Amino acid sequence: MMRQGLKFSGIFLLILLAGCTASAMSSPLPTQVATAVPPASTADYTGSSSGALAMPLPPDQALPTETATPTAVPAPPNAIIQPFGTSVQGRPLVAYRFNDGPQHIIFVGGIHGGYEWNTITLAYEAIDYFSTHPEAIPKNVTLHIIPSANPDGQYLVTQSNGRFTPPIAVTDTVPGRFNANGVDLNRNWDCEWAEAAVWRESQVSGGTRPFSEKETVALRDYLLAQTPAVVVFWHSAANGVFAAGCPTTDLPSVTLATIYGQAAGYPVHQRFSSYPVTGDAGDWLTTQGIPSFTVELINHESTDWPQNMAGLTALLNYFRSD
Ligand SMILES: [Zn+2]
């Protein structure tokens, strides 16, 4: 009964959210969106270590005037869809929840929006897998999968509020990395935060203060409310697993990153060190006593599904008590 109730209330909330889009329509559109195009082979997390000055990206491309028209989607078998907030342009943020055990394990895709659309595809692939293989989740675990932590950035590239069909025939996806205020949502958390943040050799906005963006606030509050055993962020594309830590190495995060990374066959790193990353989500979580790590997919198209299924399975089984 409780699960049914949650499910219906989730759908009701989505309908309510759809009714809120009129106010989003009247909001002025942001103008500070970067448009620089990196070389296709350059990874998200692999920056120059030469110490070159970060260069600001040109703020000249407005986001499309298309407003959010979220519609309720039915939950897949064995899952509950839980809305937990909205984006700047009014698109819903949702988590797919499986099982109801006391250990909460959370995966987050798409914090860099359409620029890393394959992390969203991976999240939906995992949702489909666990919907049809509920026995793969230990009884003592609640599994949360948040497919798209930056739905406005996703929309800019995929023209979709939810699932979409890859491959995405877009080459310049960099603006889709940011939210509708032009902020990098993985530079907006309160660990070594800086307004002038760095991504590779470019300067990007970390927001006007830590947690200045409503997507960040909604995700932070959702994560804290679960008291999770671990939070995993899917990014692309640096081909590796990076443990979080603030200001230095966080050993519980390293342990869990190693379990996932070794099972998945990704190189495992104690920290990301190619260039300074400020305001990182996982780093901040470790200051709250929550272990976290980032999985960087191999490229910007593949979901590396066999690898990530192995990593997911190993991590779930690590917490298995039955
Ligand atoms: Zn990323």
Side-chain angles (χ1 to χ4, degrees):
M1 274 307 286
M2 193 183 78
R3 292 172 67 101
Q4 277 298 96
L6 274 173
K7 186 168 161 183
F8 285 129
S9 64
I11 291 171
F12 179 66
L13 266 172
L14 276 177
I15 293 167
L16 275 182
L17 293 175
C20 292
T21 54
S23 59
M25 287 175 73
S26 61
S27 302
L29 283 167
T31 55
Q32 193 171 0
V33 176
T35 55
V37 184
S41 60
T42 310
D44 171 45
Y45 253 10
T46 50
S48 163
S49 55
S50 65
L53 282 176
M55 297 298 292
L57 295 168
D60 62 355
Q61 181 169 330
L63 288 166
T65 54
E66 178 72 34
T67 50
T69 52
T71 51
V73 262
N78 304 302
I80 294 168
I81 297 178
Q82 183 167 337
F84 62 89
T86 54
S87 65
V88 170
Q89 292 184 330
R91 296 188 170 87
L93 294 156
V94 299
Y96 287 69
R97 297 171 66 115
F98 297 85
N99 223 354
D100 55 3
Q103 291 274 22
H104 293 260
I105 300 176
I106 306 180
F107 288 83
V108 182
I111 198 169
H112 281 143
Y115 174 68
E116 297 175 6
W117 58 261
N118 57 332
T119 68
I120 303 169
T121 310
L122 169 59
Y124 282 116
E125 208 161 359
I127 287 167
D128 289 345
Y129 175 76
F130 289 109
S131 294
T132 53
H133 298 82
E135 73 285 353
I137 306 170
K139 288 186 173 58
N140 63 304
V141 166
T142 299
L143 172 64
H144 309 243
I145 300 175
I146 297 167
S148 186
N150 177 9
D152 293 345
Q154 176 195 330
Y155 185 86
L156 195 63
V157 174
T158 68
Q159 306 296 298
S160 160
N161 290 320
R163 290 177 184 249
F164 53 91
T165 305
I168 304 301
V170 176
T171 53
D172 178 7
T173 63
V174 171
R177 175 182 175 93
F178 308 105
N179 80 343
N181 289 332
V183 174
D184 189 321
L185 295 178
N186 201 39
R187 302 289 185 276
N188 190 230
W189 300 63
D190 197 10
C191 162
E192 302 178 321
W193 175 85
E195 184 168 3
V198 175
W199 169 47
R200 301 191 309 215
E201 296 175 1
S202 298
Q203 182 177 311
V204 295
S205 172
T208 54
R209 63 184 185 280
F211 303 116
S212 62
E213 303 309 299
K214 62 187 300 190
E215 295 93 344
T216 315
V217 170
L219 182 57
R220 175 198 66 191
D221 292 351
Y222 182 82
L223 297 178
L224 290 180
Q226 316 308 322
T227 319
V230 59
V231 178
V232 183
F233 293 90
W234 283 316
H235 286 259
S236 64
N239 185 27
V241 175
F242 299 84
C246 181
T248 56
T249 306
D250 180 63
L251 288 178
S253 296
V254 172
T255 298
L256 298 173
T258 302
I259 289 164
Y260 189 104
Q262 287 187 343
Y266 290 119
V268 179
H269 305 272
Q270 293 202 350
R271 293 297 304 280
F272 175 74
S273 59
S274 295
Y275 58 88
V277 174
T278 53
D280 179 90
D283 287 349
W284 180 79
L285 286 169
T286 66
T287 71
Q288 306 302 301
I290 299 169
S292 183
F293 61 89
T294 282
V295 178
E296 286 274 355
L297 306 182
I298 293 172
N299 57 38
H300 280 307
E301 292 82 33
S302 171
T303 62
D304 310 342
W305 174 244
Q307 288 181 254
N308 284 292
M309 190 178 78
L312 276 156
T313 302
L315 195 64
L316 289 171
N317 285 335
Y318 177 80
F319 288 101
R320 181 184 293 275
S321 66
D322 56 338

